[in-house]
Amino acid sequence: MLKSILHEYMETACATIVTAFEALPHPSRRQQAVHQLRVGSKKIRALLAVAKEIPGYQLKTGSYLRTVRLLQNIGGISRDTRLQEQFLTQHEKTVGWRFSVAHLLLKTQLTTADRALEATVERLSVKKLSRLPDAFKAAIADIDETAAIDAIVGHVTVMYDETTLPESNAPAASWHELRKRLKRLYYQLGIVTQLPHHTHRHREQLRHAKKAGELLGQWHDASELLLFVKATATHIRKEKIKLPEEVSLLIKLLQRETREKLAESVKHLRIF
């Protein structure tokens, strides 16, 4: 049963990436395709990471992971830029003013990101990922399922128990790393909750990890938009152009939201 669960998880994640990759050249489908690419990529990386803990499992994954990381990274630039433009528009409604220069820069950045994405699609092949499920199936063919379940559950339990909050004065990079750790943990707990004999505690951990990842994701988006707006304002000042007071209001609004989102994340994470 375990082998079927793991193979189907891998097969579904790879199929998601292949389907999304084929949709990338179509602008109207690109945003959803990028999202699916990133989800599929994270699931594959989470599964391969936990599979390394299984006794007797061996699979060379370097070439597969390079393709997955490339797809995830190039799609991330496009995704982040689109989200920044959406969130900037939402916050501008609060201050009643449009930061036109910032929107122009974001549109330019998005055009560059989409061109890079299109060039990657032309050069890259995902045929290798289509072969990964079979290679993975062969790699787990002879494993002892009982020992494998113990290894997977034990690894994820340790990862969950060792997830701690950064120091109060920790840099943003520490919170970014925690966000990525929680995302991987969420996907790995998603695997655990499909296994035989999983417990209510595992389902609760899955729920907590999902919520923590969502909260830190909101903090990340607010933080990145704040950095972009401040950098844009600094660039304009260097050009000796006077900024309207709405820029300061927008920055203060984003600073407050960033603090609030991080505080919500900390509050939730303390129940881990």
Side-chain angles (χ1 to χ4, degrees):
M1 185 175 184
L2 171 68
K3 295 173 187 177
S4 296
I5 291 170
L6 297 182
H7 176 248
E8 287 174 12
Y9 189 94
M10 177 66 79
E11 197 170 43
T12 300
C14 288
T16 296
I17 288 180
V18 172
T19 301
F21 185 80
E22 293 171 350
L24 286 176
H26 307 282
S28 62
R29 298 162 59 191
R30 184 170 296 157
Q31 191 168 358
Q32 180 62 21
V34 165
H35 172 69
Q36 291 174 336
L37 265 183
R38 289 170 60 77
V39 170
S41 298
K42 290 173 185 177
K43 285 185 173 182
I44 289 174
R45 293 176 68 179
L47 175 54
L48 290 177
V50 79
K52 290 191 297 184
E53 305 300 319
I54 299 174
Y57 164 88
Q58 281 190 331
L59 178 64
K60 293 182 178 180
T61 60
S63 59
Y64 299 115
L65 287 174
R66 280 193 292 273
T67 301
V68 166
R69 288 193 188 99
L70 178 59
L71 288 169
Q72 189 174 339
N73 291 339
I74 196 69
I77 297 171
S78 177
R79 175 260 184 201
D80 291 346
T81 305
R82 280 188 168 85
L83 284 181
Q84 282 190 347
E85 188 167 27
Q86 292 172 15
F87 293 152
L88 178 59
T89 299
Q90 292 172 12
H91 288 84
E92 286 170 340
K93 291 177 181 177
T94 303
V95 298
W97 175 76
R98 179 177 171 82
F99 199 175
S100 300
V101 176
H103 281 282
L104 179 60
L105 290 173
L106 285 171
K107 287 187 182 300
T108 301
Q109 186 174 310
L110 183 58
T111 298
T112 302
D114 281 348
R115 284 176 180 168
L117 192 61
E118 290 163 2
T120 300
V121 171
E122 290 178 2
R123 296 196 310 268
L124 189 67
S125 170
V126 292
K127 288 182 179 179
K128 183 180 291 291
L129 286 180
S130 299
R131 298 191 292 269
L132 177 55
D134 287 341
F136 182 73
K137 184 178 182 179
I140 62 174
D142 297 324
I143 63 171
D144 179 274
E145 293 208 355
T146 301
I149 290 174
D150 289 343
I152 291 172
V153 173
H155 172 74
V156 175
T157 298
V158 169
M159 288 291 291
Y160 187 92
D161 291 342
E162 292 183 353
T163 299
T164 57
L165 287 169
E167 298 294 330
S168 58
N169 59 346
S174 297
W175 294 99
H176 286 300
E177 287 302 313
L178 177 60
R179 181 177 62 88
K180 290 189 288 186
R181 178 188 178 95
L182 284 165
K183 182 62 71 174
R184 176 169 292 189
L185 186 56
Y186 165 68
Y187 288 123
Q188 290 176 343
L189 281 164
I191 296 170
V192 168
T193 54
Q194 296 181 46
L195 302 182
H197 314 305
H198 73 269
T199 66
H200 174 71
R201 181 169 180 263
H202 293 133
R203 293 194 295 274
E204 282 296 296
Q205 289 175 342
L206 176 66
R207 185 176 64 82
H208 287 313
K210 179 181 181 181
K211 182 64 175 179
E214 290 172 349
L215 290 171
L216 280 172
Q218 293 170 11
W219 163 80
H220 170 262
D221 291 338
S223 175
E224 289 297 299
L225 181 57
L226 171 61
L227 290 174
F228 170 73
V229 170
K230 290 173 73 173
T232 302
T234 298
H235 178 74
I236 293 174
R237 289 191 190 97
K238 287 181 178 179
E239 297 296 322
K240 309 299 182 183
I241 300 173
K242 185 178 179 181
L243 287 168
E245 64 175 303
E246 285 85 356
V247 174
S248 294
L249 293 175
L250 184 59
I251 289 174
K252 288 178 181 177
L253 176 64
L254 287 168
Q255 287 174 329
R256 184 173 68 249
E257 181 173 357
T258 300
R259 288 194 300 269
E260 290 174 350
K261 293 300 182 184
L262 187 57
E264 287 180 46
S265 301
V266 170
K267 182 180 179 180
H268 179 77
L269 283 161
R270 284 194 174 129
I271 65 177
F272 260 64

PDB file of all heavy atoms in Angstrom, residues 70 75 80 146 153 203-204 211 225 257 264 269:
ATOM      1  N   LEU A  70      14.676  24.924 -11.664  1.00  0.00           N
ATOM      2  CA  LEU A  70      14.635  25.928 -12.724  1.00  0.00           C
ATOM      3  C   LEU A  70      13.207  26.359 -13.001  1.00  0.00           C
ATOM      4  O   LEU A  70      12.906  27.556 -13.086  1.00  0.00           O
ATOM      5  CB  LEU A  70      15.279  25.365 -13.999  1.00  0.00           C
ATOM      6  CG  LEU A  70      15.278  26.293 -15.222  1.00  0.00           C
ATOM      7  CD1 LEU A  70      16.017  27.591 -14.901  1.00  0.00           C
ATOM      8  CD2 LEU A  70      15.916  25.598 -16.412  1.00  0.00           C
ATOM      9  N   GLY A  75       9.301  30.504 -12.719  1.00  0.00           N
ATOM     10  CA  GLY A  75       7.889  30.778 -12.530  1.00  0.00           C
ATOM     11  C   GLY A  75       7.637  31.696 -11.358  1.00  0.00           C
ATOM     12  O   GLY A  75       6.691  32.486 -11.358  1.00  0.00           O
ATOM     13  N   ASP A  80       5.519  36.374  -8.431  1.00  0.00           N
ATOM     14  CA  ASP A  80       5.717  37.416  -7.430  1.00  0.00           C
ATOM     15  C   ASP A  80       5.420  38.806  -7.981  1.00  0.00           C
ATOM     16  O   ASP A  80       4.847  39.656  -7.286  1.00  0.00           O
ATOM     17  CB  ASP A  80       7.155  37.367  -6.891  1.00  0.00           C
ATOM     18  CG  ASP A  80       7.405  36.127  -6.045  1.00  0.00           C
ATOM     19  OD1 ASP A  80       6.427  35.468  -5.654  1.00  0.00           O
ATOM     20  OD2 ASP A  80       8.589  35.824  -5.775  1.00  0.00           O
ATOM     21  N   THR A 146       7.056  -1.577   6.271  1.00  0.00           N
ATOM     22  CA  THR A 146       6.961  -1.232   7.694  1.00  0.00           C
ATOM     23  C   THR A 146       8.107  -0.322   8.110  1.00  0.00           C
ATOM     24  O   THR A 146       7.904   0.704   8.779  1.00  0.00           O
ATOM     25  CB  THR A 146       6.960  -2.500   8.562  1.00  0.00           C
ATOM     26  OG1 THR A 146       5.848  -3.323   8.190  1.00  0.00           O
ATOM     27  CG2 THR A 146       6.851  -2.136  10.045  1.00  0.00           C
ATOM     28  N   VAL A 153       7.585   8.631   8.928  1.00  0.00           N
ATOM     29  CA  VAL A 153       6.887   9.263  10.051  1.00  0.00           C
ATOM     30  C   VAL A 153       7.881   9.821  11.057  1.00  0.00           C
ATOM     31  O   VAL A 153       7.715  10.936  11.569  1.00  0.00           O
ATOM     32  CB  VAL A 153       5.926   8.258  10.733  1.00  0.00           C
ATOM     33  CG1 VAL A 153       5.324   8.863  12.000  1.00  0.00           C
ATOM     34  CG2 VAL A 153       4.814   7.845   9.771  1.00  0.00           C
ATOM     35  N   ARG A 203      -2.884  14.767  11.574  1.00  0.00           N
ATOM     36  CA  ARG A 203      -3.840  15.639  10.875  1.00  0.00           C
ATOM     37  C   ARG A 203      -3.835  17.038  11.481  1.00  0.00           C
ATOM     38  O   ARG A 203      -3.960  18.034  10.761  1.00  0.00           O
ATOM     39  CB  ARG A 203      -5.241  15.024  10.927  1.00  0.00           C
ATOM     40  CG  ARG A 203      -5.378  13.721  10.125  1.00  0.00           C
ATOM     41  CD  ARG A 203      -6.837  13.323   9.928  1.00  0.00           C
ATOM     42  NE  ARG A 203      -7.490  13.008  11.195  1.00  0.00           N
ATOM     43  CZ  ARG A 203      -7.474  11.826  11.775  1.00  0.00           C
ATOM     44  NH1 ARG A 203      -6.805  10.826  11.226  1.00  0.00           N
ATOM     45  NH2 ARG A 203      -8.124  11.613  12.911  1.00  0.00           N
ATOM     46  N   GLU A 204      -3.681  17.112  12.800  1.00  0.00           N
ATOM     47  CA  GLU A 204      -3.597  18.420  13.457  1.00  0.00           C
ATOM     48  C   GLU A 204      -2.320  19.145  13.053  1.00  0.00           C
ATOM     49  O   GLU A 204      -2.321  20.356  12.818  1.00  0.00           O
ATOM     50  CB  GLU A 204      -3.635  18.238  14.980  1.00  0.00           C
ATOM     51  CG  GLU A 204      -5.029  17.982  15.540  1.00  0.00           C
ATOM     52  CD  GLU A 204      -5.941  19.190  15.308  1.00  0.00           C
ATOM     53  OE1 GLU A 204      -5.656  20.267  15.856  1.00  0.00           O
ATOM     54  OE2 GLU A 204      -6.941  19.039  14.573  1.00  0.00           O
ATOM     55  N   LYS A 211      -1.698  26.428   8.036  1.00  0.00           N
ATOM     56  CA  LYS A 211      -2.041  27.776   8.492  1.00  0.00           C
ATOM     57  C   LYS A 211      -0.798  28.627   8.700  1.00  0.00           C
ATOM     58  O   LYS A 211      -0.763  29.807   8.312  1.00  0.00           O
ATOM     59  CB  LYS A 211      -2.833  27.680   9.809  1.00  0.00           C
ATOM     60  CG  LYS A 211      -3.292  29.022  10.363  1.00  0.00           C
ATOM     61  CD  LYS A 211      -4.274  29.704   9.435  1.00  0.00           C
ATOM     62  CE  LYS A 211      -4.818  30.985  10.051  1.00  0.00           C
ATOM     63  NZ  LYS A 211      -5.758  31.683   9.149  1.00  0.00           N
ATOM     64  N   LEU A 225       6.584  43.626  -0.997  1.00  0.00           N
ATOM     65  CA  LEU A 225       6.007  44.831  -1.575  1.00  0.00           C
ATOM     66  C   LEU A 225       6.562  46.068  -0.888  1.00  0.00           C
ATOM     67  O   LEU A 225       6.860  47.081  -1.536  1.00  0.00           O
ATOM     68  CB  LEU A 225       4.481  44.798  -1.466  1.00  0.00           C
ATOM     69  CG  LEU A 225       3.743  46.001  -2.055  1.00  0.00           C
ATOM     70  CD1 LEU A 225       4.102  46.185  -3.530  1.00  0.00           C
ATOM     71  CD2 LEU A 225       2.229  45.839  -1.901  1.00  0.00           C
ATOM     72  N   GLU A 257       1.278  46.650   8.104  1.00  0.00           N
ATOM     73  CA  GLU A 257       0.763  45.344   7.692  1.00  0.00           C
ATOM     74  C   GLU A 257       1.829  44.258   7.844  1.00  0.00           C
ATOM     75  O   GLU A 257       1.534  43.143   8.280  1.00  0.00           O
ATOM     76  CB  GLU A 257       0.288  45.385   6.238  1.00  0.00           C
ATOM     77  CG  GLU A 257      -0.280  44.048   5.791  1.00  0.00           C
ATOM     78  CD  GLU A 257      -0.917  44.104   4.412  1.00  0.00           C
ATOM     79  OE1 GLU A 257      -0.971  45.199   3.822  1.00  0.00           O
ATOM     80  OE2 GLU A 257      -1.353  43.051   3.929  1.00  0.00           O
ATOM     81  N   GLU A 264       0.940  37.832  13.678  1.00  0.00           N
ATOM     82  CA  GLU A 264      -0.040  36.743  13.548  1.00  0.00           C
ATOM     83  C   GLU A 264       0.667  35.408  13.351  1.00  0.00           C
ATOM     84  O   GLU A 264       0.251  34.389  13.936  1.00  0.00           O
ATOM     85  CB  GLU A 264      -0.957  37.012  12.348  1.00  0.00           C
ATOM     86  CG  GLU A 264      -1.981  38.124  12.550  1.00  0.00           C
ATOM     87  CD  GLU A 264      -2.840  38.301  11.314  1.00  0.00           C
ATOM     88  OE1 GLU A 264      -3.306  37.280  10.760  1.00  0.00           O
ATOM     89  OE2 GLU A 264      -3.037  39.451  10.876  1.00  0.00           O
ATOM     90  N   LEU A 269       2.525  30.165  15.463  1.00  0.00           N
ATOM     91  CA  LEU A 269       3.655  29.243  15.546  1.00  0.00           C
ATOM     92  C   LEU A 269       3.976  28.850  16.995  1.00  0.00           C
ATOM     93  O   LEU A 269       4.585  27.806  17.229  1.00  0.00           O
ATOM     94  CB  LEU A 269       4.890  29.857  14.888  1.00  0.00           C
ATOM     95  CG  LEU A 269       4.877  29.826  13.356  1.00  0.00           C
ATOM     96  CD1 LEU A 269       5.861  30.823  12.779  1.00  0.00           C
ATOM     97  CD2 LEU A 269       5.188  28.421  12.866  1.00  0.00           C
TER      98      LEU A 269
END
